[in-house]
mmCIF file of all heavy atoms in Angstrom:
data_model
loop_
_atom_site.group_PDB
_atom_site.id
_atom_site.type_symbol
_atom_site.label_atom_id
_atom_site.label_comp_id
_atom_site.label_asym_id
_atom_site.label_seq_id
_atom_site.Cartn_x
_atom_site.Cartn_y
_atom_site.Cartn_z
ATOM 1 N N GLU A 1 132.681 5.412 140.511
ATOM 2 C CA GLU A 1 133.537 6.145 141.473
ATOM 3 C C GLU A 1 133.299 7.664 141.243
ATOM 4 O O GLU A 1 133.234 8.138 140.110
ATOM 5 C CB GLU A 1 134.976 5.814 141.277
ATOM 6 C CG GLU A 1 135.918 6.459 142.324
ATOM 7 C CD GLU A 1 137.370 6.080 142.146
ATOM 8 O OE1 GLU A 1 137.673 5.232 141.287
ATOM 9 O OE2 GLU A 1 138.221 6.631 142.883
ATOM 10 N N GLY A 2 133.114 8.366 142.363
ATOM 11 C CA GLY A 2 132.921 9.842 142.291
ATOM 12 C C GLY A 2 131.607 10.236 141.719
ATOM 13 O O GLY A 2 131.441 11.340 141.227
ATOM 14 N N TYR A 3 130.598 9.342 141.760
ATOM 15 C CA TYR A 3 129.275 9.595 141.208
ATOM 16 C C TYR A 3 128.570 10.659 141.937
ATOM 17 O O TYR A 3 128.501 10.632 143.174
ATOM 18 C CB TYR A 3 128.496 8.335 141.191
ATOM 19 C CG TYR A 3 127.114 8.411 140.554
ATOM 20 C CD1 TYR A 3 126.951 8.294 139.211
ATOM 21 C CD2 TYR A 3 126.001 8.759 141.385
ATOM 22 C CE1 TYR A 3 125.660 8.331 138.656
ATOM 23 C CE2 TYR A 3 124.755 8.885 140.791
ATOM 24 C CZ TYR A 3 124.597 8.670 139.458
ATOM 25 O OH TYR A 3 123.327 8.791 138.949
ATOM 26 N N GLU A 4 127.993 11.607 141.220
ATOM 27 C CA GLU A 4 127.099 12.671 141.824
ATOM 28 C C GLU A 4 125.933 12.757 140.861
ATOM 29 O O GLU A 4 126.077 12.900 139.667
ATOM 30 C CB GLU A 4 127.824 13.963 141.976
ATOM 31 C CG GLU A 4 128.941 13.975 143.013
ATOM 32 C CD GLU A 4 129.603 15.335 143.061
ATOM 33 O OE1 GLU A 4 129.051 16.353 142.570
ATOM 34 O OE2 GLU A 4 130.699 15.401 143.681
ATOM 35 N N ARG A 5 124.758 12.682 141.427
ATOM 36 C CA ARG A 5 123.525 12.721 140.553
ATOM 37 C C ARG A 5 123.459 14.004 139.730
ATOM 38 O O ARG A 5 122.979 13.938 138.594
ATOM 39 C CB ARG A 5 122.270 12.604 141.464
ATOM 40 C CG ARG A 5 122.158 11.192 142.122
ATOM 41 C CD ARG A 5 120.847 11.043 142.822
ATOM 42 N NE ARG A 5 120.681 9.662 143.293
ATOM 43 C CZ ARG A 5 119.598 9.175 143.827
ATOM 44 N NH1 ARG A 5 118.556 9.936 143.988
ATOM 45 N NH2 ARG A 5 119.548 7.876 144.238
ATOM 46 N N SER A 6 123.875 15.116 140.245
ATOM 47 C CA SER A 6 123.769 16.370 139.533
ATOM 48 C C SER A 6 124.678 16.407 138.286
ATOM 49 O O SER A 6 124.392 17.188 137.374
ATOM 50 C CB SER A 6 124.169 17.541 140.461
ATOM 51 O OG SER A 6 125.552 17.432 140.874
ATOM 52 N N ARG A 7 125.660 15.521 138.243
ATOM 53 C CA ARG A 7 126.585 15.484 137.125
ATOM 54 C C ARG A 7 126.192 14.433 136.080
ATOM 55 O O ARG A 7 126.862 14.319 135.049
ATOM 56 C CB ARG A 7 127.998 15.189 137.658
ATOM 57 C CG ARG A 7 128.584 16.311 138.511
ATOM 58 C CD ARG A 7 129.709 15.854 139.327
ATOM 59 N NE ARG A 7 130.741 15.252 138.497
ATOM 60 C CZ ARG A 7 131.774 14.509 139.044
ATOM 61 N NH1 ARG A 7 131.811 14.336 140.363
ATOM 62 N NH2 ARG A 7 132.678 13.999 138.246
ATOM 63 N N ALA A 8 125.152 13.627 136.389
ATOM 64 C CA ALA A 8 124.826 12.496 135.495
ATOM 65 C C ALA A 8 123.608 12.775 134.637
ATOM 66 O O ALA A 8 122.702 13.471 134.993
ATOM 67 C CB ALA A 8 124.610 11.263 136.351
ATOM 68 N N VAL A 9 123.658 12.187 133.394
ATOM 69 C CA VAL A 9 122.523 12.181 132.520
ATOM 70 C C VAL A 9 122.447 10.820 131.817
ATOM 71 O O VAL A 9 123.476 10.259 131.438
ATOM 72 C CB VAL A 9 122.658 13.321 131.491
ATOM 73 C CG1 VAL A 9 123.906 13.193 130.669
ATOM 74 C CG2 VAL A 9 121.414 13.313 130.531
ATOM 75 N N TRP A 10 121.179 10.374 131.686
ATOM 76 C CA TRP A 10 120.921 9.060 131.075
ATOM 77 C C TRP A 10 120.313 9.303 129.685
ATOM 78 O O TRP A 10 119.396 10.033 129.543
ATOM 79 C CB TRP A 10 119.951 8.261 131.964
ATOM 80 C CG TRP A 10 119.744 6.823 131.638
ATOM 81 C CD1 TRP A 10 119.327 6.300 130.490
ATOM 82 C CD2 TRP A 10 119.993 5.740 132.536
ATOM 83 N NE1 TRP A 10 119.272 4.911 130.587
ATOM 84 C CE2 TRP A 10 119.643 4.550 131.791
ATOM 85 C CE3 TRP A 10 120.418 5.610 133.859
ATOM 86 C CZ2 TRP A 10 119.717 3.266 132.414
ATOM 87 C CZ3 TRP A 10 120.523 4.347 134.414
ATOM 88 C CH2 TRP A 10 120.208 3.203 133.694
ATOM 89 N N VAL A 11 120.892 8.639 128.673
ATOM 90 C CA VAL A 11 120.378 8.765 127.303
ATOM 91 C C VAL A 11 119.971 7.398 126.802
ATOM 92 O O VAL A 11 120.770 6.432 126.815
ATOM 93 C CB VAL A 11 121.406 9.331 126.360
ATOM 94 C CG1 VAL A 11 120.816 9.496 124.952
ATOM 95 C CG2 VAL A 11 121.972 10.698 126.897
ATOM 96 N N GLY A 12 118.704 7.223 126.371
ATOM 97 C CA GLY A 12 118.243 5.952 125.902
ATOM 98 C C GLY A 12 117.016 6.083 125.079
ATOM 99 O O GLY A 12 116.298 7.096 125.065
ATOM 100 N N ASP A 13 116.636 4.991 124.365
ATOM 101 C CA ASP A 13 115.526 5.038 123.501
ATOM 102 C C ASP A 13 114.205 4.512 124.131
ATOM 103 O O ASP A 13 113.175 4.622 123.502
ATOM 104 C CB ASP A 13 115.796 4.138 122.250
ATOM 105 C CG ASP A 13 115.805 2.658 122.583
ATOM 106 O OD1 ASP A 13 116.663 2.224 123.318
ATOM 107 O OD2 ASP A 13 114.874 1.960 122.110
ATOM 108 N N SER A 14 114.296 3.943 125.349
ATOM 109 C CA SER A 14 113.117 3.249 125.852
ATOM 110 C C SER A 14 112.491 3.984 127.043
ATOM 111 O O SER A 14 113.158 4.362 128.006
ATOM 112 C CB SER A 14 113.538 1.870 126.302
ATOM 113 O OG SER A 14 112.416 1.198 126.972
ATOM 114 N N LEU A 15 111.178 4.156 126.952
ATOM 115 C CA LEU A 15 110.413 4.740 128.065
ATOM 116 C C LEU A 15 109.993 3.680 129.087
ATOM 117 O O LEU A 15 109.503 4.045 130.140
ATOM 118 C CB LEU A 15 109.155 5.410 127.516
ATOM 119 C CG LEU A 15 109.394 6.711 126.726
ATOM 120 C CD1 LEU A 15 108.073 7.242 126.180
ATOM 121 C CD2 LEU A 15 110.104 7.797 127.601
ATOM 122 N N THR A 16 110.298 2.424 128.773
ATOM 123 C CA THR A 16 109.907 1.363 129.738
ATOM 124 C C THR A 16 111.146 0.746 130.455
ATOM 125 O O THR A 16 110.941 0.066 131.418
ATOM 126 C CB THR A 16 109.116 0.213 129.000
ATOM 127 O OG1 THR A 16 109.905 -0.308 127.941
ATOM 128 C CG2 THR A 16 107.860 0.696 128.464
ATOM 129 N N SER A 17 112.296 1.013 129.958
ATOM 130 C CA SER A 17 113.531 0.481 130.632
ATOM 131 C C SER A 17 114.486 1.575 131.015
ATOM 132 O O SER A 17 115.017 1.611 132.116
ATOM 133 C CB SER A 17 114.230 -0.569 129.780
ATOM 134 O OG SER A 17 114.763 0.008 128.579
ATOM 135 N N ASP A 18 114.753 2.565 130.153
ATOM 136 C CA ASP A 18 115.752 3.594 130.425
ATOM 137 C C ASP A 18 115.138 4.691 131.289
ATOM 138 O O ASP A 18 115.703 5.076 132.306
ATOM 139 C CB ASP A 18 116.245 4.191 129.117
ATOM 140 C CG ASP A 18 117.048 3.168 128.277
ATOM 141 O OD1 ASP A 18 117.941 2.587 128.847
ATOM 142 O OD2 ASP A 18 116.696 3.021 127.111
ATOM 143 N N ALA A 19 113.953 5.249 130.914
ATOM 144 C CA ALA A 19 113.387 6.366 131.587
ATOM 145 C C ALA A 19 113.085 6.005 133.076
ATOM 146 O O ALA A 19 113.389 6.811 133.986
ATOM 147 C CB ALA A 19 112.086 6.825 130.915
ATOM 148 N N PRO A 20 112.522 4.779 133.429
ATOM 149 C CA PRO A 20 112.292 4.480 134.822
ATOM 150 C C PRO A 20 113.618 4.449 135.654
ATOM 151 O O PRO A 20 113.557 4.835 136.848
ATOM 152 C CB PRO A 20 111.652 3.119 134.746
ATOM 153 C CG PRO A 20 111.001 3.067 133.390
ATOM 154 C CD PRO A 20 111.947 3.785 132.515
ATOM 155 N N CYS A 21 114.678 3.956 135.035
ATOM 156 C CA CYS A 21 115.958 3.947 135.795
ATOM 157 C C CYS A 21 116.412 5.323 136.143
ATOM 158 O O CYS A 21 116.839 5.615 137.195
ATOM 159 C CB CYS A 21 116.982 3.209 134.932
ATOM 160 S SG CYS A 21 116.864 1.442 134.904
ATOM 161 N N ALA A 22 116.348 6.243 135.171
ATOM 162 C CA ALA A 22 116.743 7.611 135.373
ATOM 163 C C ALA A 22 115.879 8.259 136.431
ATOM 164 O O ALA A 22 116.384 8.958 137.308
ATOM 165 C CB ALA A 22 116.703 8.413 134.098
ATOM 166 N N ALA A 23 114.584 7.959 136.387
ATOM 167 C CA ALA A 23 113.611 8.512 137.346
ATOM 168 C C ALA A 23 113.943 8.016 138.746
ATOM 169 O O ALA A 23 113.855 8.785 139.695
ATOM 170 C CB ALA A 23 112.188 8.181 136.936
ATOM 171 N N SER A 24 114.234 6.732 138.895
ATOM 172 C CA SER A 24 114.477 6.161 140.223
ATOM 173 C C SER A 24 115.767 6.758 140.830
ATOM 174 O O SER A 24 115.926 6.779 142.039
ATOM 175 C CB SER A 24 114.575 4.629 140.179
ATOM 176 O OG SER A 24 115.726 4.228 139.526
ATOM 177 N N LEU A 25 116.699 7.202 139.937
ATOM 178 C CA LEU A 25 117.943 7.821 140.393
ATOM 179 C C LEU A 25 117.772 9.300 140.657
ATOM 180 O O LEU A 25 118.594 9.959 141.274
ATOM 181 C CB LEU A 25 119.079 7.556 139.436
ATOM 182 C CG LEU A 25 119.579 6.124 139.273
ATOM 183 C CD1 LEU A 25 120.641 6.029 138.166
ATOM 184 C CD2 LEU A 25 120.162 5.609 140.645
ATOM 185 N N GLY A 26 116.728 9.822 140.071
ATOM 186 C CA GLY A 26 116.513 11.319 140.182
ATOM 187 C C GLY A 26 117.497 12.087 139.347
ATOM 188 O O GLY A 26 117.947 13.174 139.763
ATOM 189 N N ILE A 27 117.821 11.559 138.174
ATOM 190 C CA ILE A 27 118.793 12.236 137.291
ATOM 191 C C ILE A 27 118.098 12.626 135.922
ATOM 192 O O ILE A 27 116.995 12.086 135.665
ATOM 193 C CB ILE A 27 120.040 11.414 136.979
ATOM 194 C CG1 ILE A 27 119.651 10.140 136.215
ATOM 195 C CG2 ILE A 27 120.737 11.079 138.248
ATOM 196 C CD1 ILE A 27 120.888 9.335 135.752
ATOM 197 N N ASP A 28 118.727 13.499 135.246
ATOM 198 C CA ASP A 28 118.173 13.920 133.915
ATOM 199 C C ASP A 28 118.155 12.717 132.969
ATOM 200 O O ASP A 28 119.046 11.956 132.942
ATOM 201 C CB ASP A 28 119.031 15.066 133.380
ATOM 202 C CG ASP A 28 118.862 16.378 134.154
ATOM 203 O OD1 ASP A 28 117.737 16.845 134.267
ATOM 204 O OD2 ASP A 28 119.886 16.879 134.658
ATOM 205 N N PHE A 29 117.108 12.811 132.119
ATOM 206 C CA PHE A 29 116.947 11.729 131.094
ATOM 207 C C PHE A 29 116.643 12.396 129.735
ATOM 208 O O PHE A 29 115.838 13.329 129.635
ATOM 209 C CB PHE A 29 115.819 10.782 131.429
ATOM 210 C CG PHE A 29 115.489 9.785 130.414
ATOM 211 C CD1 PHE A 29 116.365 8.781 130.098
ATOM 212 C CD2 PHE A 29 114.330 9.941 129.657
ATOM 213 C CE1 PHE A 29 116.063 7.903 129.080
ATOM 214 C CE2 PHE A 29 113.972 9.013 128.647
ATOM 215 C CZ PHE A 29 114.853 7.982 128.360
ATOM 216 N N ILE A 30 117.326 11.837 128.730
ATOM 217 C CA ILE A 30 117.051 12.289 127.328
ATOM 218 C C ILE A 30 116.561 11.100 126.539
ATOM 219 O O ILE A 30 117.271 10.120 126.419
ATOM 220 C CB ILE A 30 118.267 12.900 126.676
ATOM 221 C CG1 ILE A 30 118.717 14.198 127.379
ATOM 222 C CG2 ILE A 30 118.013 13.263 125.201
ATOM 223 C CD1 ILE A 30 120.010 14.774 126.897
ATOM 224 N N LEU A 31 115.404 11.180 125.996
ATOM 225 C CA LEU A 31 114.876 10.122 125.155
ATOM 226 C C LEU A 31 115.442 10.339 123.763
ATOM 227 O O LEU A 31 115.333 11.414 123.172
ATOM 228 C CB LEU A 31 113.342 10.227 125.106
ATOM 229 C CG LEU A 31 112.661 9.252 124.148
ATOM 230 C CD1 LEU A 31 112.764 7.796 124.664
ATOM 231 C CD2 LEU A 31 111.165 9.634 124.011
ATOM 232 N N TYR A 32 116.158 9.303 123.234
ATOM 233 C CA TYR A 32 116.646 9.382 121.908
ATOM 234 C C TYR A 32 115.699 8.718 120.970
ATOM 235 O O TYR A 32 115.625 7.466 120.925
ATOM 236 C CB TYR A 32 118.109 8.821 121.806
ATOM 237 C CG TYR A 32 118.640 8.923 120.460
ATOM 238 C CD1 TYR A 32 119.061 10.143 119.942
ATOM 239 C CD2 TYR A 32 118.746 7.802 119.544
ATOM 240 C CE1 TYR A 32 119.537 10.267 118.654
ATOM 241 C CE2 TYR A 32 119.152 7.927 118.258
ATOM 242 C CZ TYR A 32 119.588 9.180 117.802
ATOM 243 O OH TYR A 32 120.037 9.322 116.496
ATOM 244 N N ARG A 33 115.036 9.477 120.123
ATOM 245 C CA ARG A 33 114.061 8.948 119.182
ATOM 246 C C ARG A 33 114.106 9.776 117.854
ATOM 247 O O ARG A 33 113.546 10.859 117.836
ATOM 248 C CB ARG A 33 112.624 9.015 119.734
ATOM 249 C CG ARG A 33 112.352 8.020 120.881
ATOM 250 C CD ARG A 33 111.974 6.658 120.354
ATOM 251 N NE ARG A 33 111.583 5.760 121.446
ATOM 252 C CZ ARG A 33 110.314 5.594 121.846
ATOM 253 N NH1 ARG A 33 109.350 6.239 121.274
ATOM 254 N NH2 ARG A 33 110.075 4.798 122.863
ATOM 255 N N PRO A 34 114.817 9.329 116.854
ATOM 256 C CA PRO A 34 114.843 10.082 115.604
ATOM 257 C C PRO A 34 113.509 10.420 115.007
ATOM 258 O O PRO A 34 113.333 11.413 114.307
ATOM 259 C CB PRO A 34 115.635 9.144 114.650
ATOM 260 C CG PRO A 34 116.560 8.372 115.612
ATOM 261 C CD PRO A 34 115.656 8.141 116.770
ATOM 262 N N LYS A 35 112.517 9.576 115.296
ATOM 263 C CA LYS A 35 111.172 9.841 114.746
ATOM 264 C C LYS A 35 110.326 10.735 115.647
ATOM 265 O O LYS A 35 109.195 11.015 115.347
ATOM 266 C CB LYS A 35 110.426 8.504 114.533
ATOM 267 C CG LYS A 35 111.058 7.653 113.420
ATOM 268 C CD LYS A 35 110.259 6.361 113.189
ATOM 269 C CE LYS A 35 110.863 5.535 112.097
ATOM 270 N NZ LYS A 35 110.134 4.244 111.851
ATOM 271 N N GLY A 36 110.945 11.181 116.740
ATOM 272 C CA GLY A 36 110.213 12.012 117.635
ATOM 273 C C GLY A 36 109.598 11.298 118.797
ATOM 274 O O GLY A 36 109.428 10.094 118.789
ATOM 275 N N ALA A 37 109.219 12.082 119.833
ATOM 276 C CA ALA A 37 108.677 11.531 121.054
ATOM 277 C C ALA A 37 107.243 11.032 120.803
ATOM 278 O O ALA A 37 106.526 11.586 119.986
ATOM 279 C CB ALA A 37 108.682 12.543 122.157
ATOM 280 N N PRO A 38 106.848 9.993 121.533
ATOM 281 C CA PRO A 38 105.462 9.483 121.440
ATOM 282 C C PRO A 38 104.505 10.498 122.017
ATOM 283 O O PRO A 38 104.873 11.333 122.841
ATOM 284 C CB PRO A 38 105.501 8.211 122.194
ATOM 285 C CG PRO A 38 106.635 8.351 123.199
ATOM 286 C CD PRO A 38 107.672 9.153 122.506
ATOM 287 N N GLU A 39 103.263 10.424 121.558
ATOM 288 C CA GLU A 39 102.251 11.352 122.068
ATOM 289 C C GLU A 39 102.151 11.269 123.573
ATOM 290 O O GLU A 39 102.135 10.171 124.136
ATOM 291 C CB GLU A 39 100.930 11.010 121.438
ATOM 292 C CG GLU A 39 99.788 12.014 121.709
ATOM 293 C CD GLU A 39 98.532 11.668 120.998
ATOM 294 O OE1 GLU A 39 98.531 10.770 120.111
ATOM 295 O OE2 GLU A 39 97.538 12.355 121.258
ATOM 296 N N GLY A 40 102.087 12.428 124.198
ATOM 297 C CA GLY A 40 101.944 12.466 125.621
ATOM 298 C C GLY A 40 103.262 12.556 126.387
ATOM 299 O O GLY A 40 103.185 12.853 127.590
#
């Protein structure tokens, strides 16, 4: 309820499940990886 894309952010560890969802919604995404982001 009351959802607005500009107010939403997705946080997840997966570039194959979380990142694509955020991309399809057109919202900000933060990859959570204590060991750092993968190359590229």
